[in-house]
Amino acid sequence: DTEVTQTPKHLVMGMTNKKSLKCEQHMGHRAMYWYKQKAKKPPELMFVYSYEKLSINESVPSRFSPECPNSSLLNLHLHALQPEDSALYLCASSFQGTSGTGELFFGEGSRLTVL
Amino acid sequence: QQQVKQSPQSLIVQKGGIPIINCAYENTAFDYFPWYQQFPGKGPALLIAIRPDVSEKKEGRFTISFNKSAKQFSLHIMDSQPGDSATYFCAASMVIHAGKSTFGDGTTLTVKP
């Protein structure tokens, strides 16, 4: 079983709703990521947190707002989404820098449907 | 420079066959080449990975072959089983920037009983 836990597994929301996706890992990783994955496509990097600080934002619309409250938790706040934002949202973590092996540890994802 | 090209897009083999999936990269700064396996409704999981200082790595029925000069690497699955049916993504990154992995487009493998 994955050591990166994501909740909820499924989420349906309207375009005016505000919701949040949550991610938790207890592997001591200091790098955490949000990816978006459309059907039959590879994961696309959205955000990178390094030592709880946002280090990369891959030009993601402001309706997606990430937050890293501590080294184990990562949130993705959603507001005023569009139907095209429907996708599988994956959280991942890894060791940071030269202490890492390069491996990404993915959660099982949150399947988001925007109506 | 950042692309990873993966082929084929889909692959169907009989049980016991040896599917081969190929990837090519451009950026010579990459030093970590993983393969991720993803089942429907699940997140990707690392299957096997290789660093550029070796030409082959084997773990169980899975083998990566790596050709540094050609900038290509491939996944071989020996004695494939129906349970291997999944989508496989190759990727390339620098170890110090694991999250900036560049993924191939994926290969959907179907192993028929």
Side-chain angles (χ1 to χ4, degrees):
Chain A
D1 286 339
T2 181
E3 297 180 71
V4 176
T5 303
Q6 290 188 242
T7 56
K9 292 193 184 305
H10 300 276
L11 179 63
V12 179
M13 59 187 292
M15 290 190 285
T16 57
N17 292 158
K18 286 185 181 181
K19 297 286 185 182
S20 296
L21 306 181
K22 298 184 184 300
C23 174
E24 188 169 5
Q25 58 88 14
H26 293 287
M27 294 179 281
H29 293 166
R30 303 306 297 273
M32 296 186 75
Y33 316 90
W34 281 113
Y35 285 85
K36 174 182 178 180
Q37 187 178 30
K38 290 281 204 178
K40 300 192 182 298
K41 295 292 186 182
E44 295 176 43
L45 184 64
M46 299 174 71
F47 302 104
V48 178
Y49 272 84
S50 176
Y51 294 96
E52 297 89 68
K53 294 191 186 303
L54 183 65
S55 62
I56 294 177
N57 175 339
E58 293 284 0
S59 302
V60 179
S62 60
R63 57 186 184 269
F64 295 91
S65 176
E67 177 194 22
C68 189
N70 60 54
S71 61
S72 300
L73 295 174
L74 189 65
N75 298 322
L76 186 63
H77 303 297
L78 314 171
H79 174 56
L81 296 192
Q82 304 297 310
E84 59 264 29
D85 296 322
S86 299
L88 181 68
Y89 288 84
L90 294 162
C91 174
S93 68
S94 71
F95 289 104
Q96 177 64 35
T98 56
S99 62
T101 61
E103 179 180 357
L104 289 171
F105 293 78
F106 285 93
E108 293 200 342
S110 293
R111 173 74 60 188
L112 174 67
T113 302
V114 182
L115 301 177
Chain B
Q1 272 283 317
Q2 295 298 321
Q3 278 189 318
V4 174
K5 294 182 180 179
Q6 183 173 345
S7 62
Q9 186 175 14
S10 62
L11 191 52
I12 300 173
V13 300
Q14 292 294 131
K15 177 182 174 182
I18 307 175
I20 301 173
I21 306 171
N22 301 297
C23 283
Y25 65 98
E26 298 174 357
N27 188 347
T28 56
F30 290 144
D31 61 1
Y32 180 71
F33 301 90
W35 286 90
Y36 289 90
Q37 180 187 55
Q38 186 174 24
F39 293 105
K42 303 290 186 181
L46 181 69
L47 186 64
I48 186 172
I50 198 167
R51 301 292 300 271
D53 52 347
V54 296
S55 60
E56 185 176 282
K57 183 175 181 181
K58 187 174 182 178
E59 289 185 3
R61 296 184 293 107
F62 302 93
T63 299
I64 298 180
S65 298
F66 186 82
N67 186 328
K68 187 174 181 178
S69 61
K71 294 188 283 186
Q72 296 175 346
F73 58 109
S74 60
L75 176 70
H76 300 233
I77 305 176
M78 308 300 289
D79 187 27
S80 58
Q81 301 295 313
D84 296 329
S85 297
T87 299
Y88 293 81
F89 293 100
C90 65
S93 69
M94 290 180 277
V95 168
I96 60 171
H97 295 301
K100 287 285 285 181
S101 296
T102 300
F103 287 87
D105 283 342
T107 296
T108 301
L109 172 65
T110 302
V111 181
K112 295 199 167 189

